[in-house]
Amino acid sequence: MKRGEPRSFPVSPAPAPLGEIRPTARRPLDLLLGVAGVLAVAAVLFAVRVVTGETEPAAPAELRALLPPSLLALLAGAANLTMIVLAGATAVERLLRREFRQVARALFGAGLAYGIVGAANATVAAIYSPGGPPEALAAAAAHSVFTSPLHSYVAAAVAYIGALPLGRLPRLRGAMWLCIAITAASVVLAGVTTVLALLLTVLVGWACASASRYAIGLSRPVPATERLVRELRRFGLDPLGVASDGTDDEGNQRFAVDTAGRRLDVVVMRADDTSGWWKRLLALILLRDPVAPPVLPGLNRRLEHAALLGFASHAAGADVPRVLAIGELGLGTVALVYEHLRLVPLDDIGDDAITDDLLDDVWAELCLLHRHRIVHGGLNGDTIGRRPSGRVAFTGLSGGGVAASPIKASLDVAALLTVLALRVGETRSVNAAVRVLGMEGVAAALPFLQTAGMPFGLRKRLRSRREVLGAIRGRIAELAPGAPARQARLERMRSRTVVSVVAATVVGFVLAYQLAGVDFGTISGADLSWASASFAASLVCMIAAALALMGFVPIRLNLWTTVLVHYAGSFIRIAAPAGLGSIALNARYVTCMGASPGVALSAVGLSQAVGLVTHLPILLVCAYLTGTAYVADFSPSGTLIAVTAVIGLAVTAVLVLPRLRRAVFDRARPYFHGTLPQMLDLLQNPRRLAMGVGGTLLLTAGFVLCLYFSIAAFGGTASLAAVAVVFLAGNAIGSAAPTPGGLGAVEAALLGGLTTVAAVPAAVGLPAVLLFRLFTFWLPVLPGWGAFHLLQRWKAI
């Protein structure tokens, strides 16, 4: 669309005929296929029972002789890890597209398949007890109820793929099917299951996929369409066509409706659409009462608020969309019918067409609302427009209010000053406001010209043009030197403060729960030999960290001086956020040793980036080995599934939430800034590459062994893989925690992980965690203080 050209209606390509709009996306065929699949499995199992009777189980030795079990375990393990990672990637991709129903359908299908297979296996075991299942279903040895005779992991994987449409990702779909095929071949060749049992497993997976498609629905349904048509006809508005018009800022569905005489805008509100409610609740927590938007928890309150604003604004004489009807479309679904305003939004008006007269008209229209104590609350470039007649009109008033206080009116003025300044500059924006409002009205808005007081949509635009607010304040100060220059305190607390308080509260509750009933007398009863081994492992960590840095830096460094630098880093991290203090210190050290500042920063960032990148595969592999019987039945453990789910949720939250995404990227930028040239140079030097990567792996191994030996020092036993999972997860939490060195958060994460993942009693886990943190966090502080001053004297930092 060219600037200055009126916006066409509707927004979607063309209104769909009423007959083509389906009120539901559930197909009865999916229900029939699901029921038929389960019945077919039951029939086959019954037929096997009738035909074979009770027989002793037989192991298919001829199949197991084809490939060694170790090779099958390696192939199946790689396939399972790849399958779970790809499943997480596809789920994140769908969540980014806001296709939540598809992800829910896939997860429901996988869970249903897992449960049905477990129930079927338990039933088979009960029927054929004590002799065991017949040869057609028999496994080589006794396995879990979820792997013999049917294999629950294979069934869940089949159901996941069958329930999640992957037409846009054919390569990922092919890779996932290949992983399932490798796992299926492995379980058959290893004698875990038989060909017939495997076919029944796949059939269960397909049946559960069909059942989940029916239970959840193929896509987000539009159940209100047919009832919407009936409601419109009840009001005498006979629709000729209905087209989806996306969603508004509150997450409500919008429809464009053509009737014989005019066009309508319909907003469908649902009780389960709460995205706007959560946004407003967060603003209510962070902002003070005069600034915070109203929180409308119920559907009726939201509907009444939107309708009241429409009626009040129209009664005031403002040119706003007029409310024509309010319809009920079913339980928890209502429709608000507006008269369609044909207008060109301010964003689409050409720069040459934004004259001073148009700016004056915009301010005059806002004054009309304010005279009747109505505030807009959502001013932005797409909620201000010009009618074909030339009059200015406002849309999107659902976030405003009636009987508003002067502070809220000043917030509207500050928002409109900012919106216009983004288009025509601060000088014309302020001058137009002064012509209409007067100097006193403009000066009253000066304390509110800050990001915290702006509408949600306007804040996004200000992120790339933060200098605009300062320019507006400067222009107002020029015109009115006596205006109040001090900014009003709009925030109760900053977002970082909220995160810190919440994190500290959660950590405190977790620690209190874990410490309940713990005998602190066991702390003094550590075994000296294991404690010495733990201390030695902590010393190895310092040497390993020095080797890693020496490998990634392109100049020669002295080993023991580099070790002292890492001890100094232990002293600095007491007062600095996790990771950032050590980056600055290492970069300073490398610069003093002769490297340029750019090379030093990129080399240190590369060492940190490699450490972050290597942690993820190690975490997944150790999670796969933790609590799994992969040698026997090739199924991944619950730990791996939980770790993958947590990683997937974390990645999704980072990618979906803009503020969190910026915070993570800002935190990770020092690790990855300028690392590509250093990486290319490192790849051409195998010796440095081996030293850097080897030192990184040795560092991780040292920390894991230190925690493992600390557990053994108090008489505890745990799997080394489980301890690795606990440490890597705790280290990640420590890096993300806002406290120096992850203090508090790391202890809670390690203690919780040891008790849940590694099955270590809290009475053993607590002193083990304290001993581990003593050796790796607290003891290095004193020598680190001495090393810091010594390196300063040597002018090495």
Side-chain angles (χ1 to χ4, degrees), residues 740-783:
L743 191 62
V746 172
E747 287 81 359
L750 292 179
L751 183 57
L754 289 179
T755 55
T756 55
V757 178
V760 176
V764 175
L766 172 64
V769 169
L770 296 180
L771 184 64
F772 170 77
R773 291 289 278 175
L774 176 67
F775 289 153
T776 59
F777 184 78
W778 293 110
L779 279 186
V781 172
L782 184 59

Side-chain angles (χ1 to χ4, degrees), residues 3-55:
R3 289 190 179 272
E5 181 180 333
R7 175 181 290 181
S8 59
F9 180 90
V11 177
S12 54
L18 296 181
E20 297 180 6
I21 300 178
R22 299 187 55 178
T24 180
R26 292 183 175 88
R27 300 183 306 178
L29 178 62
D30 290 327
L31 178 61
L32 294 177
L33 290 176
V35 175
V38 174
L39 292 178
V41 171
V44 171
L45 293 177
F46 178 77
V48 171
R49 167 69 175 172
V50 172
V51 173
T52 59
E54 296 183 359
T55 60

Side-chain angles (χ1 to χ4, degrees), residues 86 90 166-179:
L86 292 180
T90 54
L166 296 173
R168 294 194 297 260
L169 304 170
R171 294 184 179 180
L172 281 182
R173 180 179 57 187
M176 294 171 74
W177 279 118
L178 178 62
C179 293

Side-chain angles (χ1 to χ4, degrees), residues 62 83 156 187 239 258 302 342 351 368 420 428 523 533 561 563 565 593 613 637 646 721 727 735 740 764:
E62 63 279 3
M83 174 64 193
V187 296
D258 271 337
R302 290 160 52 197
R342 186 177 179 85
D351 294 336
L368 178 61
L420 297 179
R428 293 184 62 192
I523 298 178
T561 305
V563 171
V565 171
M593 291 298 102
V613 171
S637 66
V646 171
F727 164 73
S735 300
V764 175

Side-chain angles (χ1 to χ4, degrees), residues 664-700:
V664 172
F665 286 172
D666 291 342
R667 186 72 175 270
R669 188 175 291 111
Y671 295 94
F672 295 92
H673 180 70
T675 59
L676 182 57
Q678 289 294 328
M679 175 63 75
L680 296 177
D681 179 64
L682 185 65
L683 293 176
Q684 299 175 6
N685 194 328
R687 179 178 172 276
R688 285 178 49 210
L689 179 63
M691 180 182 293
V693 177
T696 302
L697 296 177
L698 180 61
L699 177 63
T700 302

